[in-house]
Amino acid sequence: MSDHKYDNAVGPYNAYGHCLELLGRHTAPSDGVHLDLACGLGPIAEPLIASHGVHYVGVDYDPDTVKTLKERGFEAHALDLNSPEVEQDLRRVLDGRKLASISMLDGLEHLVEGYHVLAAISVLLAEHRTLCVLSVPNVTHVDIGIKTLLGKWDYTETGLLDRTHYHLYSAPSLEDALSEAGLAKVADYDVVMAESDQHFPPDHGALRRATPLGHYLRTLRESIDAHGYTNQFVWAVAPTAAMPGRDLALADEGPFLSVIMRTQGRRDQELREALLSLAAQSSTNFELLLVAHRTTVAQQIQVERVIADQPQEFRDRIRLLLLDTGRRAAPLNHAMRHARGRYLVILDDDDIVLEGWVATFEGHEQVQPGRIMRVQAAVHDVARTEVRGLTGVRGIESPRTPYAATFSLTDHIATNQSPTHTWAFPVTLHRDFGMVFDETMTTTEDWEFLIRAAEVVGVQDIPTVLAIYQWWVSHESSRTQHDEDDWRQNHSEVHRRLDRKPLLLPAAETRALRARLRRLDELENVLAEHAELRAQLATLERESRADFDTLQGEAFDLLGQLRRERQRTAILRKRIHKLRSKLPEGGKQGGSKTGGSKQGGSKQASTRVPPARKAPVAEQASIFRRAGRSIKRALS
């Protein structure tokens, strides 16, 4: 390799290797001429000849590189590609020979005026029915974007910010430059680098994805388009009709508001009432994009009939779009691509809005331009009914307002508080930030979009109820079409996405969040106190239970003793009764006066009551003494 700063080898992962890959995919081997414009040292010459057998011709402004190519045995010409006569110059180089293909690698950005050479390429490609491969550095690489945001712009000798670059290109600006010259991209094989040559210094806090700021900025850049990590655009281009460049001023020709309504043609009366609420708007500065999504022919005809029944002035502002693919979010993105309004809002075909809905949004547009505008919604329980054979909608109870009056991003992270027809968002979210509704989700696609959008542009609250969210109590709706598991899975997916990236909160949100955290701390302290009291109560309960168990055991013991004493008492009573039964029945006779009277004191009376008859009395006293001792022992 030489000391030339652009002397780079061909590799499978650089622009040279990708150029050869594209030429291999889209051109056939040929003995014609391959023009390598702004060729430098011609690094692709040998491998291109080997793969395609072409006659390589290098064209460059620098005579030294042209001389080097000639010394290597290649045909080379010194030309000024900025010249308005560059087409004639290239024709002289071709000299009537067949053109096989063209390449211009890392050359367009060095030209003061690139239009002339691009227009010449378009003409030559059209004549020879072939294509050209271009490579151009991407000035919107995330590394440049982050450093520019933080006030750093570092020119280098080579690379993305080569100090000799005259023009810097993004993907849209490159497409515009090609289109203006009559060229269009037909294939691409970009060079992608997560860390470009501008990724310095290595400890830059915003360049590192590991930091919260770096993570947030890279996540935001990734969500806008696919070129955040594109280092070089490597495109195969072919001729097309020349188109004028885009007017960056973007003339304001459309209406203020684009209302997006998706329908499947299954709710004729509900659709009519939703359109009636739009026809009654006090402001007509809106259009309606009605998307018939996956309808049958009969359903489409019915939708067209409903549109035809609208007043002429309103009907002129309705555009019917047909879409036969995708899930719930697909018609929203389809309509968003066709919308002409500065703001967009979604109105389901079974909801209604009040007369000042459009006018209120329009009136608040300049209060905080570029922010999402949010009005209030009332929820009305409704059901289908029939009156004289005609289907209608009947309110069941008075409307209620369950949604938060002011928007809080932290609250919305937990649960959605904003039905779709309560918030209008600026079209710049789609046009400039590349935001679309996630078509992989079967529900909650509006909630997921709102969180992403509100994080970027914020929300302006309008404290007026202008939308009616009809809650069907006995009729099919999105709540009933999808089971609880489906809703739960989509909610979890939204939370998983939030957990994977940093979150940007509006300034005013921190005050409310701080108050809630303080309140949470207070509640946690109360819970801690309650937990301590519960622990004390549990301890007392255990101790009381132990005391109770002890007392209960003692009571059971006493009851057992009482039963035993009762048994002993019963036994003693039986013994006493038995002893009493053994007493002489005439025990009182020994104390009668009859036996002691003088009249009866004859010898015969003494014989009838001898002294030996007093022995049972002594025996009785002994028995009673023993019985007393037994009772004492039993009671002790």
Side-chain angles (χ1 to χ4, degrees):
M1 296 180 64
S2 69
D3 294 332
H4 196 285
K5 68 176 183 178
Y6 298 125
D7 187 10
N8 300 311
V10 175
Y13 305 112
N14 62 19
Y16 304 139
H18 286 206
C19 169
L20 293 171
E21 178 69 22
L22 285 177
L23 288 172
R25 293 178 192 173
H26 301 286
T27 62
S30 170
D31 58 357
V33 172
H34 174 84
L35 284 179
D36 190 9
L37 307 181
C39 62
L41 296 176
I44 66 170
E46 287 88 354
L48 183 60
I49 293 172
S51 62
H52 280 66
V54 296
H55 177 71
Y56 177 87
V57 177
V59 176
D60 198 274
Y61 180 76
D62 182 11
D64 292 335
T65 58
V66 170
K67 179 181 177 182
T68 301
L69 278 173
K70 288 181 178 180
E71 291 174 350
R72 288 166 55 194
F74 298 113
E75 181 181 348
H77 301 268
L79 291 179
D80 182 4
L81 299 179
N82 289 296
S83 172
E85 288 77 33
V86 66
E87 180 186 335
Q88 288 73 24
D89 295 338
L90 292 176
R91 287 185 184 278
R92 283 192 292 270
V93 169
L94 281 175
D95 193 22
R97 292 175 290 182
K98 178 183 177 182
L99 179 64
S101 52
I102 301 176
S103 61
M104 187 175 181
L105 306 181
D106 297 341
L108 185 62
E109 65 276 11
H110 292 273
L111 301 180
V112 177
E113 178 53 77
Y115 170 79
H116 301 304
V117 70
L118 291 177
I121 291 173
S122 177
V123 172
L124 293 176
L125 294 180
E127 289 181 4
H128 293 270
R129 302 177 66 83
T130 185
L131 55 75
C132 170
V133 174
L134 298 168
S135 75
V136 180
N138 173 29
V139 74
T140 64
H141 190 284
V142 65
D143 288 342
I144 296 178
I146 290 175
K147 293 174 71 173
T148 304
L149 177 67
L150 300 178
K152 293 186 67 66
W153 185 266
D154 296 319
Y155 281 113
T156 52
E157 287 300 315
T158 61
L160 293 176
L161 294 183
D162 186 318
R163 63 179 68 256
T164 63
H165 289 177
Y166 280 96
H167 281 277
L168 304 176
Y169 290 94
S170 65
S173 67
L174 180 57
E175 288 176 347
D176 287 345
L178 295 173
S179 178
E180 187 176 3
L183 293 168
K185 179 177 68 173
V186 295
D188 60 54
Y189 189 19
D190 296 337
V191 176
V192 176
M193 296 179 65
E195 296 183 3
S196 71
D197 68 292
Q198 284 288 319
H199 196 87
F200 68 87
D203 59 349
H204 193 295
L207 289 177
R208 309 302 301 179
R209 192 181 187 94
T211 66
L213 178 59
H215 192 181
Y216 179 82
L217 292 175
R218 287 177 178 270
T219 301
L220 178 62
R221 181 65 182 89
E222 291 164 4
S223 70
I224 292 173
D225 64 27
H227 295 299
Y229 300 107
T230 298
N231 195 70
Q232 286 172 288
F233 304 113
V234 184
W235 294 357
V237 299
T240 185
M243 299 291 290
R246 290 186 304 176
D247 181 7
L248 297 180
L250 294 175
D252 183 13
E253 298 178 352
F256 156 68
L257 188 66
S258 292
V259 181
I260 299 174
M261 182 181 292
R262 51 193 166 178
T263 186
Q264 293 184 313
R266 299 176 181 176
R267 300 186 284 211
D268 177 73
Q269 182 59 30
E270 292 88 334
L271 175 60
R272 289 181 181 275
E273 294 196 8
L275 295 183
L276 178 62
S277 71
L278 288 177
Q281 290 299 303
S282 58
S283 171
T284 60
N285 195 9
F286 71 95
E287 65 172 349
L288 172 62
L289 288 81
L290 183 57
V291 186
H293 185 215
R294 306 179 74 168
T295 57
T296 64
V297 173
Q299 290 167 342
Q300 178 184 333
I301 291 173
Q302 183 59 29
V303 172
E304 293 173 348
R305 184 177 295 118
V306 172
I307 296 174
D309 290 342
Q310 303 305 309
Q312 180 66 45
E313 188 275 335
F314 177 44
R315 188 166 65 244
D316 292 341
R317 288 181 279 120
I318 300 176
R319 281 191 285 160
L320 177 63
L321 305 177
L322 305 179
L323 183 66
D324 292 331
T325 60
R327 293 177 173 174
R328 285 171 48 89
L332 302 180
N333 291 332
H334 185 61
M336 193 157 51
R337 289 189 288 268
H338 289 80
R340 298 185 300 113
R342 300 192 300 276
Y343 272 76
L344 292 80
V345 66
I346 303 166
L347 175 62
D348 286 339
D349 65 350
D350 61 343
D351 289 325
I352 57 177
V353 290
L354 303 185
E355 175 190 12
W357 185 63
V358 173
T360 301
F361 280 137
E362 186 178 9
H364 282 75
E365 179 188 12
Q366 297 306 318
V367 176
Q368 293 178 324
R371 293 170 69 92
I372 297 170
M373 295 181 289
R374 177 178 179 263
V375 299
Q376 302 300 301
V379 176
H380 198 195
D381 292 342
V382 296
R384 275 186 172 180
T385 188
E386 285 194 5
V387 179
R388 297 183 178 180
L390 298 177
T391 302
V393 178
R394 176 175 62 88
I396 296 178
E397 294 183 357
S398 299
R400 60 190 187 279
T401 54
Y403 301 114
T406 57
F407 182 88
S408 167
L409 185 56
T410 51
D411 285 346
H412 276 70
I413 289 172
T415 182
N416 190 12
Q417 289 284 314
S418 302
T420 56
H421 55 323
T422 63
W423 48 279
F425 60 95
V427 71
T428 55
L429 284 172
H430 174 64
R431 187 186 65 211
D432 299 330
F433 290 88
M435 287 191 181
V436 294
F437 292 87
D438 189 336
E439 296 188 20
T440 65
M441 306 188 77
T442 54
T443 61
T444 68
E445 72 287 341
D446 55 320
W447 177 37
E448 192 270 344
F449 181 94
L450 176 59
I451 292 175
R452 284 189 287 126
E455 180 186 10
V456 174
V457 300
V459 177
Q460 174 188 172
D461 285 307
I462 302 173
T464 307
V465 175
L466 291 168
I468 306 297
Y469 182 49
Q470 302 203 124
W471 189 275
W472 298 93
V473 297
S474 60
H475 182 53
E476 183 183 79
S477 66
S478 60
R479 291 183 296 106
T480 58
Q481 289 175 344
H482 304 273
D483 58 30
E484 288 296 326
D485 288 340
D486 198 16
W487 282 96
R488 192 179 302 109
Q489 181 178 351
N490 283 291
H491 274 76
S492 298
E493 176 61 24
V494 173
H495 290 151
R496 278 194 296 271
R497 294 182 185 186
L498 286 168
D499 294 341
R500 287 198 296 263
K501 66 182 187 68
L503 181 68
L504 180 64
L505 290 177
E509 193 94 1
T510 57
R511 186 185 306 111
L513 185 58
R514 188 167 57 250
R516 304 190 97 184
L517 290 174
R518 188 182 302 115
R519 177 59 177 161
L520 181 60
D521 287 341
E522 293 173 356
L523 292 175
E524 288 180 344
N525 290 334
V526 172
L527 288 176
E529 293 175 0
H530 287 179
E532 185 177 353
L533 289 175
R534 284 196 298 269
Q536 294 176 0
L537 289 174
T539 302
L540 291 174
E541 183 178 2
R542 287 193 299 272
E543 293 174 353
S544 299
R545 174 62 63 181
D547 292 343
F548 176 78
D549 292 341
T550 301
L551 292 174
Q552 188 179 43
E554 293 176 355
F556 285 151
D557 292 341
L558 291 174
L559 288 174
Q561 293 178 15
L562 181 60
R563 283 194 296 271
R564 289 192 295 274
E565 296 303 329
R566 286 177 176 173
Q567 292 173 355
R568 292 174 184 174
T569 302
I571 293 171
L572 290 175
R573 285 176 177 171
K574 290 180 179 179
R575 289 179 179 176
I576 292 172
H577 180 72
K578 186 176 180 181
L579 291 173
R580 283 179 177 173
S581 65
K582 291 180 179 181
L583 293 175
E585 190 170 328
K588 296 179 180 181
Q589 294 175 0
S592 66
K593 293 181 180 182
T594 305
S597 63
K598 292 181 178 180
Q599 294 176 356
S602 62
K603 193 175 182 176
Q604 292 177 349
S606 298
T607 302
R608 280 186 275 119
V609 187
R613 296 295 296 270
K614 293 181 180 181
V617 176
E619 183 180 355
Q620 180 180 5
S622 177
I623 290 172
F624 272 108
R625 283 194 297 270
R626 290 197 302 272
R629 287 194 295 269
S630 297
I631 291 173
K632 288 181 180 180
R633 284 196 302 272
L635 293 175
S636 63

